Every structure is written in structure tokens, then in C-alpha cells.
Amino acid sequence: MASSRLGLRLAVCLLNVSEARQQDIVERIAKAGLWDKAGNSVVTACTEAYDLIDMEHHDGIHPCLGSVDLVPIYPLSESVSLEECGRVARDIAEKLSQDVPDCSIFYFGYADQPLKRNLVQRRKEVNWYKRSNLNVNEIKPDVGAVISPRYGLTGIGASPYVMNCNVTIDTQDLTIGQQIANAIRAANVGGLRGVQAMAFPHEGTVEIACNVESFTDETSSSLAAERKECISYFIQGKEYLYFSPRSIERQIKKMATSHGVTTVGTALVGFTPQLCKSLAEQAILEGCGEFWKRRQTITM
């Protein structure tokens, strides 16, 4: 449904850039989008990120391919369709390729017509999970002829909401983290639907980073036991579900305990769909673009 307070049809872009350590760079990218007066805030923010982040000198543990790694468009209001978001994503890609001619882009989800390949499939195709083995000469972008060593490769697309939830376990044994990540991964028997997980060393501990995708429950009996662990929302009358951050935390804590390890923190990186919509409405209502400065923590 449309926003009950503002009557707006809302979609969101949760921009992923390959920088998290230098706060000034992240803020400059965010402010570039806010200062844009031509209605191209996402393109302007991406252009700033390309200018500030050089992949030839990038250093980080988390997999990434480009200065701007991901430009996902998600519907927030029930009345906004995935097809509309796909068209917005392709329009962003077109404008971005005009403003930054050397950038390279692959499409995913509802921007990837007619195949609609999901992000996981596209990332596997371009070797996102093993960037050290990346051969740029073997990848043919959907937009751009050659992948720039400076800018790398950017994924642009549209899909139901994807949330990021990280759980830290109190050990330096990466093998334990990898075993837990493997156990909760949707692709494996007994895993959590919609969840992709990887384990990384993090400041003397191990962080289990989860991408939490929304999914549909086509057969109501298939999720009977787990449904109480999920949160639902609607896109054009169709119900979507995702595992709640708390339920993911409980699953990881249970598995960590079996290894004699405790959890030491859970961070919701970004927002749930419901909170994202609420904050967007609040920011628009108050005319406050830099609302994130009021939120001093990402911990749940």
C-alpha cells in the first residue's frame, strides 16, 4: 500500500560501495546524492564513489568487484512493482554509463531482461565470490566493453528486499565460522531459506555475514515450522517473507555453542524493509536527508 502518512509510492536503493573504513569518503558519497538537484541522486552518488574509490589500490576482506559494487532497487510500498524497479535500475545504468563512460555493469533480477537471473547467479558467473581468480578478459559486461581496473564491475538490478545481518562469534578459528555459515546457507540441506552466509576474520573474532533475501512461500505447508521465525510484507498483493535477524542470531548462537563458542554481537547492517520504509517516510516528512547521523549504532 502507499505510505499512510505521505501518500507516496516508495522504492529504495541501498547502495553498496567498496569502502567502510574511511568515514569521510562514505559521507562524501552520501552527501553527493543529497546535493543532487536534477533527480539523479543515485547516479550522482555512484559517480562520486567511482571518483573516490580506486579498485587498483583497494584492500579488504569482503568480496567485491567494483568501486560501486552493487546498486539494488527494492520496492518499499506495496503498490510499487518489481517491474517498475527493474526499469528504474536500467535507467540508472544508462545514465551512469553516460556520466562515467569507462564503468562496466552487469544486470540482475528484474533489470536482467528477459532472464531475470538473480544476484547470486550473476555473482557466481562473474566470480564475485573468488575475486582473486577474476579474469576481466573473460567477462562480458551488459554495459561497457572492457572492465576498467580502476572502477571494476558494478551490479545494477531490482529484486524483493535483501537485508544484511552480521553475527560475531568469539573465536579466531575461521573453520568454525565457515562450518556455521555453511550450515545456515539456504543452498544446503537444513539451511535457512533466503540466507547466504560467509565467514570472515574480524578484529580477533570471526564474523558471519549474512545476506537475507525475501522469498515467497508457494506451498504454505513447506514453511510451517519456520514461518513463526519469519517476517512478512507484500508487493502488489503478493506475500514475501524473510528470516528475522533475531531468528538468524538464535540459529548461529545454537551452532556456536555446540562448538564451545559464544556469540558476542549481532549487527543489522542497514534496515529491515519495514524500518527502511518508516525511516524514508520520516526523512521526507522532516526534510532531513542526513537522518543516519541520528542513528549512532547499527547494532540491533
Side-chain angles (χ1 to χ4, degrees):
M1 61 182 177
S3 165
S4 57
R5 285 189 291 174
L6 303 176
L8 297 177
R9 302 176 70 248
L10 299 175
V12 65
C13 173
L14 300 183
L15 191 64
N16 286 223
V17 299
S18 295
E19 177 58 70
R21 297 170 181 166
Q22 300 183 70
Q23 183 177 344
D24 62 320
I25 289 181
V26 176
E27 288 206 1
R28 284 175 64 182
I29 294 168
K31 287 179 178 178
L34 289 175
W35 292 337
D36 175 78
K37 302 300 182 184
N40 299 317
S41 58
V42 174
V43 174
T44 305
C46 289
T47 302
E48 185 77 0
Y50 282 132
D51 186 53
L52 295 173
I53 303 170
D54 185 346
M55 293 305 292
E56 290 188 282
H57 299 98
H58 179 270
D59 178 42
I61 295 175
H62 199 284
C64 63
L65 286 177
S67 307
V68 179
D69 201 58
L70 194 64
V71 186
I73 309 297
Y74 307 131
L76 288 183
S77 300
E78 183 181 347
S79 61
V80 177
S81 71
L82 288 162
E83 288 79 8
E84 285 179 276
C85 290
R87 290 192 292 270
V88 169
R90 292 183 72 93
D91 184 55
I92 289 171
E94 181 180 346
K95 291 177 180 176
L96 194 56
S97 66
Q98 293 171 358
D99 289 359
V100 188
D102 290 336
C103 74
S104 299
I105 295 164
F106 70 87
Y107 290 124
F108 67 90
Y110 281 73
D112 178 41
Q113 296 295 338
L115 299 177
K116 297 181 185 176
R117 290 167 290 182
N118 64 34
L119 179 59
V120 172
Q121 181 180 349
R122 298 299 337 256
R123 278 176 162 172
K124 285 181 179 178
E125 290 172 357
V126 299
N127 224 7
W128 182 84
Y129 298 95
K130 295 180 180 179
R131 182 185 165 207
S132 60
N133 296 328
L134 179 67
N135 185 344
V136 296
N137 296 319
E138 295 179 352
I139 298 174
K140 187 179 185 307
D142 295 318
V143 177
V146 179
I147 297 176
S148 160
R150 175 183 174 86
Y151 299 145
L153 183 63
T154 298
I156 299 182
S159 73
Y161 201 95
V162 179
M163 183 177 62
N164 302 101
C165 175
N166 298 341
V167 180
T168 302
I169 58 176
D170 192 14
T171 180
Q172 296 185 34
D173 188 342
L174 185 59
T175 300
I176 293 176
Q178 291 171 334
Q179 290 175 355
I180 294 173
N182 186 64
I184 66 171
R185 200 172 290 142
N188 297 325
V189 176
L192 304 179
R193 289 178 67 182
V195 173
Q196 286 86 44
M198 303 180 76
F200 303 97
H202 179 69
E203 299 178 352
T205 61
V206 172
E207 183 178 84
I208 300 172
C210 303
N211 277 3
V212 186
E213 293 183 341
S214 301
F215 57 90
T216 58
D217 186 21
E218 301 294 351
T219 55
S220 57
S221 60
S222 66
L223 199 64
E226 294 105 325
R227 192 178 178 94
K228 62 182 180 180
E229 303 291 342
C230 294
I231 300 172
S232 70
Y233 66 98
F234 291 84
I235 301 174
Q236 294 207 311
K238 187 173 184 178
E239 185 182 33
Y240 289 82
L241 304 117
Y242 62 92
F243 272 91
S244 73
R246 292 298 184 194
S247 67
I248 294 170
E249 180 185 38
R250 283 194 295 270
Q251 289 278 356
I252 292 176
K253 185 174 183 178
K254 180 179 178 180
M255 294 176 188
T257 300
S258 70
H259 288 280
V261 174
T262 61
T263 57
V264 294
T266 300
L268 179 60
V269 184
F271 322 101
T272 64
Q274 293 83 356
L275 181 57
C276 187
K277 180 181 177 183
S278 175
L279 288 172
E281 291 173 341
Q282 179 183 342
I284 293 169
L285 186 65
E286 298 179 4
C288 176
E290 295 180 298
F291 67 91
W292 73 83
K293 289 189 175 180
R294 301 178 185 175
R295 297 173 56 82
Q296 298 300 316
T297 177
I298 59 174
T299 303
M300 294 192 305

